[in-house]
Amino acid sequence: MVDDDSDVRQFSVDVLVGSGYDVEAVKDGAAGWEELQAGNYDLVITDNKMPRMTGIEMIEKLRFARMTVPVIMATRFLPTHEFASKPWLKPDATLQRPCSNDGLLEAVKKVLHTDDDNDGHKETLLPK
């Protein structure tokens, strides 16, 4: 979970951990990028407008590094103009904030291709 809003970050972590996911959280895109380079993750959930590095900039770094980790962008203002002009930056899913607990969980399940009977494998949501 990458988000500069500590309340949103903690709320999202609580929802995901409460549903059985292993979640780590950082406060901005630069910290997220550092963690992505150091670890192996199943998913990144990121805001866009953050200090030091935006979500779009982090996705761009992921793409240039040929890292295939899926990304969900959960933000108040979706950068649709960026997605239109640079389609390779489009995340695997988007969520308009504020979003419901169910909306967040459904997006995660869809992107990870999991359901409620996921064979006990615990997903690690990025960054760790």
Side-chain angles (χ1 to χ4, degrees):
M1 171 62 56
V2 184
D3 201 308
D4 61 320
D5 184 319
S6 60
D7 292 335
V8 169
R9 192 171 58 240
Q10 189 59 54
F11 175 78
S12 298
V13 167
D14 291 347
V15 167
L16 293 163
V17 168
S19 293
Y21 293 100
D22 182 19
V23 183
E24 297 289 332
V26 295
K27 64 182 179 177
D28 61 45
W33 175 242
E34 289 172 17
E35 293 296 327
L36 282 164
Q37 293 177 89
N40 184 24
Y41 302 99
D42 298 314
L43 176 65
V44 175
I45 301 172
T46 187
D47 187 13
N48 185 41
K49 292 191 177 201
M50 299 178 287
R52 299 197 320 143
M53 183 184 299
T54 67
I56 285 287
E57 291 167 338
M58 187 176 62
I59 291 171
E60 188 167 36
K61 285 184 171 284
L62 280 167
R63 301 298 192 252
F64 283 132
R66 298 192 187 275
M67 296 172 79
T68 59
V69 62
V71 178
I72 296 173
M73 182 171 283
T75 188
R76 186 170 301 276
F77 304 104
L78 290 170
T80 53
H81 62 283
E82 292 273 0
F83 300 153
S85 66
K86 300 176 184 174
W88 62 89
L89 296 179
K90 189 169 183 185
D92 298 270
T94 58
L95 287 171
Q96 187 79 38
R97 287 235 171 108
C99 62
S100 68
N101 296 357
D102 290 340
L104 175 60
L105 293 172
E106 284 302 313
V108 169
K109 288 178 185 178
K110 181 179 179 183
V111 170
L112 293 176
H113 308 291
T114 60
D115 55 30
D116 292 329
D117 302 317
N118 70 355
D119 78 359
H121 175 70
K122 204 171 191 185
E123 303 291 342
T124 302
L125 306 182
L126 297 183
K128 194 169 190 174

